[in-house]
């Protein structure tokens, strides 16, 4: 199996750095190196709109992009179960190649481990994204302040709904596909036009609610979002009605929460909407004084707290 | 983002009007109990308490079938999940409920075969796919859910499926309401369940007005439904009129869904049931009729559980009756949190403690 | 206690089963407890249609508003 995997890797990912076949890669870095690592264990590994390979590239690319850095490289490590279907593995490699080409990143080093049958849900992938940022760019959850506006680049909950439709025991079909996408080019365009981006975060596990709560804690600010402003596809609303889920907690893989200074918000939305991954961008909230936490103004004008996700989202009947 | 069919979504001005009318009409402190966990959640989710004066106290009652299920049922389900020839099929709601010393979620993580299903009919399909295993469905729920289980059991009999079983833990609502109406600190009005009512019909509640002089409104789950129901209760109390009003006519009729009632009566018979917080309520449970008894897992296997222990100091029982609120419990928000629940009221998404924790444990960030 | 979603019948499979549409999501649902045709709206819960949503009361929300106007005038 190892030889088969190695031939796939060299066929799909060949580049001067990787072809040197060392256990390390030499890259230029310096003071402004940004590094982010993530492991991907999604089940099923193939879903409407993508697969674990695409997810693995986009996840780490987006995490690095959120720092305001130019994303340059990723590392790629596979853990594969003995007997994993080679044609499926080839498809995953194709997805990785396509996603990394779209993102403009080079795979510079990697690893493969084969484990016994039953030990890895088929396949797990780890990627580490590496980028370089300018010294004067300071973006992070700790820089947010009252008056900032909060933008999201499109519909929430798509990825979670797509994954859910593959789960046994639920038996439904949905036109929704995962929003999994590399967003670094969109971020680059945004940073080109807006100089006061405070923070960017991808609302993955735990959804928008959890990511906003994290940022509120980091910067010790209040956050208010507006229920009517949240962009959401009707079929995701339908899945939520059916299974008793709240779209605020559903994972997204092609979305960013973007905090900008209030006076740049409209411009930011305009720039995002010009990019294919930001066509439905909208201002969804604002940063306010007060107790760190997130509140939502509901569609009827009342106010309620939006807590972060605790536990796992399980479909329910009550 | 509207959460129900847009035909039933509220115009803002109607909500504002109802708010004003409630403010004008409510003259004294009144308590309204909602006995449907989905109402508990809807009230929190839409911030309804924000829209009504503090004179109106909304109390959550025993409306969450997960919360009122006592530990022995969970302990039995856990014991069954540990048997190598059994697959437990369960609604997602039950998975994280703590029993005396474990939960189905914990057992699943440790290798037990526990499958979350959206419908008992899917549990039946699971049985067909796994002929060498016994598939046991954990049958918890009120009258909204009971028809689905009755249909599944009836189908299992018709198709002669030999490896499908249920662990019976159903409860029925009207008897519980009667028990609540007989308590000393009775409430001034009931917000009555929407979907249970679509099965049992509005007439099932007339006794509350007639025998116990407590008004009630059957309501849907949209903000307009809830505000309208609260207004109607306040209006009845102010005008000294005691009635049961059906404000959810789009799915609730006076007699309910008679087909559903028939299939329930065919498969099940009433029996006594023990409710967390309320004790044993005669006739409030369901057991299988004799000609369906073979589907009861307890008729087929001797389940050996030790003594079931309720957590000492947990106030779930009193919270379910509305005599205490979550902040009254010493564990609330400290040792008892959603990631590590002590009692079921914190686990179930409709549990009062979970709703409180999620939506209101801090002061709100006011405008 | 009971999450139920309004859904439209889009295809009848047999006397006991139909496909329903909930805002674009499709699911097979048991219809043995309701008498309906394609195009009807039903309330679904745990894989089964538990009741029909009555067309005549579908505008209940609007009726509430009409009644409100009457009530507000009386206050």
């Amino acid at each position: 199996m190892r030889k088969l995997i190695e031939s796939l890797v060299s066929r799909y990912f060949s580049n001067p750095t990787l072809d040197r076949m060392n256990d390390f890669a030499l890259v230029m870095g310096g003071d402004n190196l940004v590094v982010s690592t993530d492991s991907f264990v999604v089940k099923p590994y193939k879903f409407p709109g993508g697969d674990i390979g695409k997810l693995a590239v986009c996840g780490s690319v987006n995490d690095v992009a959120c720092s305001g850095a130019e994303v340059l490289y990723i590392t790629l490590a596979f853990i594969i179960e003995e007997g994993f279907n080679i044609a499926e593995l080839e498809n995953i490699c194709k997805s990785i190649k396509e996603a990394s080409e779209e993102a403009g990143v080079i795979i510079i080093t990697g690893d493969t481990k084969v484990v016994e049958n039953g030990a890895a849900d088929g396949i797990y992938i780890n990627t580490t994204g590496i980028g370089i940022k300018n010294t004067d760019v300071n973006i992070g959850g700790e820089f947010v302040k009252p008056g900032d506006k909060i933008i999201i680049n499109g519909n929430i909950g798509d990825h979670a709904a797509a994954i859910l439709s593959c789960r046994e025991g639920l038996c439904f079909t949905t036109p929704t596909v995962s929003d999994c996408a590399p967003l670094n080019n969109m971020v680059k365009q945004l940073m080109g036009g807006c100089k006061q981006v405070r923070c960017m975060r991808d609302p993955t596990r735990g959804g928008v609610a959890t990511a906003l709560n994290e940022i509120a804690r980091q910067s010790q600010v209040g956050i208010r979002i507006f229920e009517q402003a949240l962009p959401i596809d009707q079929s995701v609303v339908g899945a939520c009605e059916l299974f008793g889920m709240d779209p605020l907690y559903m994972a997204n893989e092609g979305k960013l929460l973007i905090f900008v200074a209030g006076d740049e918000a409209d411009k930011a939305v305009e720039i995002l909407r010009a990019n294919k991954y930001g066509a439905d961008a909208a201002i969804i909230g604002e940063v306010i004084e007060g107790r760190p936490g997130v509140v939502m103004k509901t569609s009827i004008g009342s106010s309620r707290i939006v807590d972060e996700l605790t536990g796992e989202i399980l479909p329910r009947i009550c | 983002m509207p959460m129900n069919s847009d035909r039933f979504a509220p115009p803002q001005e109607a909500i504002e009007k109802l708010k004003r009318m409630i403010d004008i009409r409510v003259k004294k402190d009144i308590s309204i109990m909602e006995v449907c966990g989905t109402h508990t959640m809807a009230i929190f989710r839409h911030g309804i308490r924000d829209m009504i004066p503090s004179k109106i106290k909304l109390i959550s009652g025993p409306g969450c079938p997960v919360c009122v299920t006592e530990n022995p049922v969970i302990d039995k389900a856990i014991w069954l999940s540990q048997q190598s020839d059994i697959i437990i099929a369960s609604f997602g709601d039950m998975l994280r409920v703590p029993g005396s010393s474990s939960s189905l979620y914990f057992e699943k993580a440790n290798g037990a075969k526990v499958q979350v299903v959206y419908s008992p009919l899917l549990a039946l399909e699971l049985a067909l796919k796994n002929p060498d295993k016994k598939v046991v469905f954990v049958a918890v729920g009120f009258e909204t859910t009971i028809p689905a289980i009755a249909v599944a059991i009836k189908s299992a009999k018709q198709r002669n499926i030999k490896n499908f079983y249920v662990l019976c833990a159903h409860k029925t609502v009207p008897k519980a309401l009667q028990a609540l109406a007989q308590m000393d600190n009775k409430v001034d009005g009931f917000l009555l369940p929407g979907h249970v009512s679509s099965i049992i019909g509005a007439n099932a509640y007339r006794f509350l007005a007639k025998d116990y002089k407590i008004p009630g409104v059957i309501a849907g789950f949209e903000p307009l439904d809830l505000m309208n129901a609260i207004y109607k209760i306040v209006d009845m109390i102010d005008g000294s009129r005691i009635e049961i009003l059906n404000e959810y006519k789009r799915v609730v009729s006076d007699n309910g869904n008679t087909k559903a009632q028939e299939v329930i009566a065919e498969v099940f018979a009433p029996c006594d049931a023990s409710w967390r917080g309320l004790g044993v309520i005669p006739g409030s449970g369901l057991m299988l009729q004799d000609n369906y008894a073979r589907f009861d897992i307890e008729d087929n296997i001797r389940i050996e559980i030790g003594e079931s222990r309720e957590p000492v100091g947990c106030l779930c029982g009193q919270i379910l009756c509305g005599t205490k609120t979550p902040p009254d419990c010493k564990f609330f928000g400290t040792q008892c949190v959603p990631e590590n629940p002590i009692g079921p009221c914190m686990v179930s998404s409709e549990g009062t403690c979970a709703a409180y924790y999620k939506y209101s444990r801090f002061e709100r960030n006011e405008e | 206690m009971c999450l139920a979603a309004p859904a439209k019948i889009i295809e009848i499979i047999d006397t006991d089963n139909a496909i329903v549409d909930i805002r674009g999501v499709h699911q097979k649902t048991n219809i043995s407890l309701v008498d309906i045709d394609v195009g009807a709206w039903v309330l679904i819960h745990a894989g089964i249609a538990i009741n029909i949503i009555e067309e005549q009361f579908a505008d209940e929300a609007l009726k509430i508003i009409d009644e409100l106007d009457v009530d507000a005038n009386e206050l």
Side-chain angles (χ1 to χ4, degrees), chain A residues 25-49:
Chain A
L26 280 170
V27 295
M28 296 301 292
D31 292 337
N32 298 303
L33 204 59
V34 176
V35 181
S36 173
T37 193
D38 225 327
S39 298
F40 298 87
V41 300
V42 68
K43 206 172 166 187
Y45 58 78
K46 200 163 66 168
F47 44 84

Side-chain angles (χ1 to χ4, degrees), chain A residues 150-154 156 203 208 231 255-258 280-284:
Chain A
I150 308 165
I151 298 165
I152 193 160
N153 58 309
I156 62 174
V208 164
K255 297 293 171 318
L256 293 182
L257 288 161
I258 299 163
D280 296 317
I283 298 171
I284 62 164

